[in-house]
Amino acid sequence: MISRVYQMLGLATKAGKTKSGSFLAEDCVRSRKARLVLIAEDAEGNTRKRLEDKCRSYQVPVRYYGTKADLGRAMGQGIRSCVAVTDAGFADRIAKLADMQREERGSDGENENQ
């Protein structure tokens, strides 16, 4: 079964409300267009740290979710380590769904939030 987070991410992408890849996501944060940044749980350490720091500085929420392959597949693209969501409605819904699924899984996943 496909995750509801991935379904919403696919819809946001079709609506033109996402930017994927670390450089585009970082630019989106810097230009204050990003409302949420999703980072793949298997993203490299440098990517994670750079985006976390940038998002903390610009007060953009961050969620860790899925794998690089799954994020890319949900967007109809290749492997993506992160994605910035630029629409507030999509961002809120995706963040809530990601949080709900993390709670359902328990604390067996990584415990790095924002």
Side-chain angles (χ1 to χ4, degrees):
M1 181 174 105
I2 189 165
S3 160
R4 292 182 66 196
V5 171
Y6 294 139
Q7 290 174 339
M8 289 301 294
L9 188 56
L11 288 173
T13 300
K14 287 180 183 177
K17 304 298 181 182
T18 61
K19 299 289 182 190
S20 63
S22 60
F23 295 114
L24 288 177
E26 193 174 335
D27 284 344
C28 220
V29 171
R30 199 177 306 117
S31 65
R32 300 188 185 276
K33 294 178 183 173
R35 300 294 177 247
L36 171 71
V37 173
L38 277 181
I39 302 174
E41 292 172 352
D42 61 346
E44 290 80 18
N46 288 341
T47 299
R48 295 167 73 120
K49 173 133 178 52
R50 189 175 66 245
L51 279 168
E52 282 176 2
D53 292 347
K54 190 66 65 179
C55 288
R56 190 176 304 113
S57 174
Y58 285 87
Q59 299 176 340
V60 175
V62 175
R63 297 293 186 278
Y64 287 93
Y65 193 83
T67 64
K68 294 186 286 188
D70 289 339
L71 282 181
R73 191 174 307 115
M75 299 176 70
Q77 300 177 2
I79 292 173
R80 295 290 187 258
S81 59
C82 61
V83 57
V85 180
T86 60
D87 180 80
F90 278 120
D92 289 343
R93 186 68 180 142
I94 290 169
K96 286 177 186 174
L97 288 169
D99 292 343
M100 284 181 0
Q101 289 184 358
R102 175 163 289 203
E103 289 173 12
E104 288 173 6
R105 283 192 326 223
S107 60
D108 62 349
E110 293 186 33
N111 264 346
E112 295 183 44
N113 293 337
Q114 286 179 268

